[in-house]
């Protein structure tokens, strides 16, 4: 039986697109994306899911009064689709320990730096690349890791380095890190974890 995957997103969803492409090309073969859940109902990622006939749902963080309420909305959707494995693909919200402990070793995240650099609370999206450029690193990259109660603190699954070039802006660096690292290692890590879960199913 295939591993049932949920992808959690907040924005544009280019990493979601990489996962869908990998599923269609057979790089992801032990699991199937059953549902995409956005923390923001306007996320373009939801449109990408719909285009491929994948269920697209929103758990609107802004309208939730508490973190519990937000996470309960997500959990309800996960239960509805009988999800085994959660992939955070540009999901800009921190999940509580109460949530992560229910899915130990069953949540992974892609982060746009070489952890332990430029990670943790406050480091997300373009801010990560701004910090890397301000520091003056010559090499950066991306990391896929398990998610636990420490933001960006779970065990590392895959990493890939990317050169910083002279004249880079946060935007040009973000694009290169996505193209040369994130869109490659996220689908690979997804298949590694998904096939391990499938074996244990
Ligand atoms: C990606 O660069 C992803 O690594 C990053 O946000 C971007 C989302 O792009 N995620 C984080 O910073 C999480 N801490 P996308 O919506 O096009 O995939």
């Amino acid at each position: 039986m295939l591993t049932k995957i949920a992808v959690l997103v907040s924005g544009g969803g280019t990493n979601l697109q990489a996962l869908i492409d990998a599923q269609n090309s057979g790089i992801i073969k032990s699991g199937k994306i059953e549902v995409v859940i956005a923390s923001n109902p306007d996320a373009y990622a939801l449109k990408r899911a719909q285009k491929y006939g994948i269920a697209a749902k929103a758990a609107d963080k802004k309208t939730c009064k508490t973190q519990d309420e937000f996470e309960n909305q997500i959990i309800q959707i996960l239960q509805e689709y009988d999800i085994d494995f959660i992939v955070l693909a540009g999901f800009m919200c921190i999940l509580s320990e109460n949530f992560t402990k229910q899915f130990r070793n069953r949540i992974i995240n892609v982060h746009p730096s070489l952890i332990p650099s430029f990670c943790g609370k406050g480091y997300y999206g373009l801010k990560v690349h701004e910090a890397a450029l301000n520091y003056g690193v010559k090499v950066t990259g991306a990391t896929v890791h398990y998610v636990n109660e420490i933001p960006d603190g779970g065990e590392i699954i895959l990493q890939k380095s990317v050169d910083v070039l002279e004249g880079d802006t946060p935007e040009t660096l973000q694009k290169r890190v996505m193209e040369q690292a994130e869109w490659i290692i996220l689908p690979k890590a997804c298949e590694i974890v998904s096939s391990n879960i499938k074996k244990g199913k």
Side-chain angles (χ1 to χ4, degrees), residues 122-187:
Y123 287 100
Y124 57 87
L126 273 179
K127 287 180 193 290
V128 179
H129 304 292
E130 275 162 22
L133 290 174
N134 284 342
Y135 198 96
V137 293
K138 302 298 174 206
V139 175
T140 184
T143 304
V144 180
H145 62 92
Y146 285 105
V147 174
N148 63 12
E149 64 286 358
I150 303 158
D152 300 323
E155 188 191 333
I156 290 171
I157 304 165
L158 291 175
Q159 289 188 303
K160 195 166 187 291
S161 64
V162 174
D163 286 341
V164 177
L165 301 182
E166 219 166 290
D168 260 340
T169 63
E171 289 78 8
T172 61
L173 187 56
Q174 179 184 53
K175 184 167 181 280
R176 189 175 321 108
V177 169
M178 283 175 159
E179 287 171 355
Q180 295 184 5
E182 295 184 51
W183 300 342
I184 300 163
I185 64 172
L186 182 61

Side-chain angles (χ1 to χ4, degrees), residues 59-120:
D60 191 355
K61 190 160 196 307
K62 272 205 198 119
T63 63
C64 291
K65 288 192 192 74
T66 62
Q67 179 76 10
D68 264 6
E69 190 184 334
F70 174 58
E71 292 183 354
N72 284 338
Q73 280 191 19
I74 297 174
I75 287 170
Q76 257 185 18
I77 302 168
L78 297 174
Q79 285 171 349
E80 189 185 329
Y81 287 87
D82 197 20
I83 292 303
D84 305 303
F85 174 35
I86 301 165
V87 180
L88 309 186
F91 185 64
M92 302 304 188
C93 311
I94 292 176
L95 293 166
S96 74
E97 182 171 7
N98 182 38
F99 186 103
T100 58
K101 75 179 181 207
Q102 295 181 52
F103 297 94
R104 195 148 298 286
N105 293 329
R106 282 166 182 259
I107 315 176
I108 66 170
N109 176 49
V110 61
H111 182 77
S113 76
L114 293 174
I115 290 175
S117 290
F118 314 117
C119 65

Side-chain angles (χ1 to χ4, degrees), residues 19-33:
L19 291 166
I20 295 171
D21 293 347
Q23 182 170 283
N24 291 340
S25 70
I27 292 171
I28 296 174
K29 53 180 186 293
S30 62
K32 183 166 177 280
I33 303 170

